[in-house]
């Protein structure tokens, strides 16, 4: 098994939250949820399916650039606020396939 790290962007969208992985969005890594937590859960599931499909097709998997501080896998972080429509950035998901 191998683990991959991806940056996720989560944006409020009316009564739901839209979540996507910028480096995989054109391959379908985009979803939504009624809460931030649900959107993150869904994007993890969708991203795993996209990665599995890419591996089966022999495609190269893009990665988030890691800084020296990110030498360990980073769990999903939820800390930023959505007040006034602020976008949650710097959320990292770890996908293991």
């Amino acid at each position: 098994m191998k683990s991959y790290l991806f940056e996720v962007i989560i944006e409020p969208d009316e009564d739901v939250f839209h979540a996507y992985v910028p480096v995989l969005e054109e391959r379908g890594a985009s979803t939504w949820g009624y809460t931030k937590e649900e959107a993150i859960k869904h994007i993890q599931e969708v991203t795993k399916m996209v990665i599995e499909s890419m591996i089966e097709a022999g495609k190269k998997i893009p990665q988030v650039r890691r800084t020296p501080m990110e030498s360990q896998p980073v769990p999903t972080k939820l800390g930023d606020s959505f007040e006034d429509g602020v976008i949650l950035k710097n959320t990292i998901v770890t996908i293991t396939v």
Side-chain angles (χ1 to χ4, degrees):
M1 296 185 106
K2 184 170 180 177
S3 293
Y4 300 90
L5 295 176
F6 295 100
E7 177 186 24
V8 174
I9 304 296
I10 302 172
E11 303 170 324
D13 185 13
E14 295 186 18
D15 294 336
V16 299
F17 294 92
H18 177 240
Y20 63 96
V21 176
V23 298
L24 298 174
E25 187 175 20
E26 67 183 33
R27 295 195 169 270
S30 178
T31 190
W32 64 277
Y34 289 110
T35 64
K36 294 178 289 187
E37 293 79 7
E38 185 178 46
I40 288 174
K41 179 182 178 214
H42 291 172
I43 197 62
Q44 288 174 314
E45 293 166 353
V46 169
T47 302
K48 184 173 181 177
M49 288 187 286
V50 169
I51 294 302
E52 289 171 342
S53 174
M54 291 177 71
I55 289 170
E56 285 179 22
K59 302 286 185 184
K60 184 177 178 182
I61 310 300
Q63 288 278 289
V64 171
R65 290 185 184 163
R66 297 172 106 181
T67 65
M69 295 292 292
E70 296 175 320
S71 59
Q72 300 291 325
V74 179
T76 302
K77 296 184 284 184
L78 292 173
D80 295 342
S81 168
F82 282 99
E83 293 177 28
D84 300 321
V86 173
I87 298 170
L88 178 63
K89 294 184 179 179
N90 298 323
T91 298
I92 305 293
V93 295
T94 303
I95 305 296
T96 303
V97 292

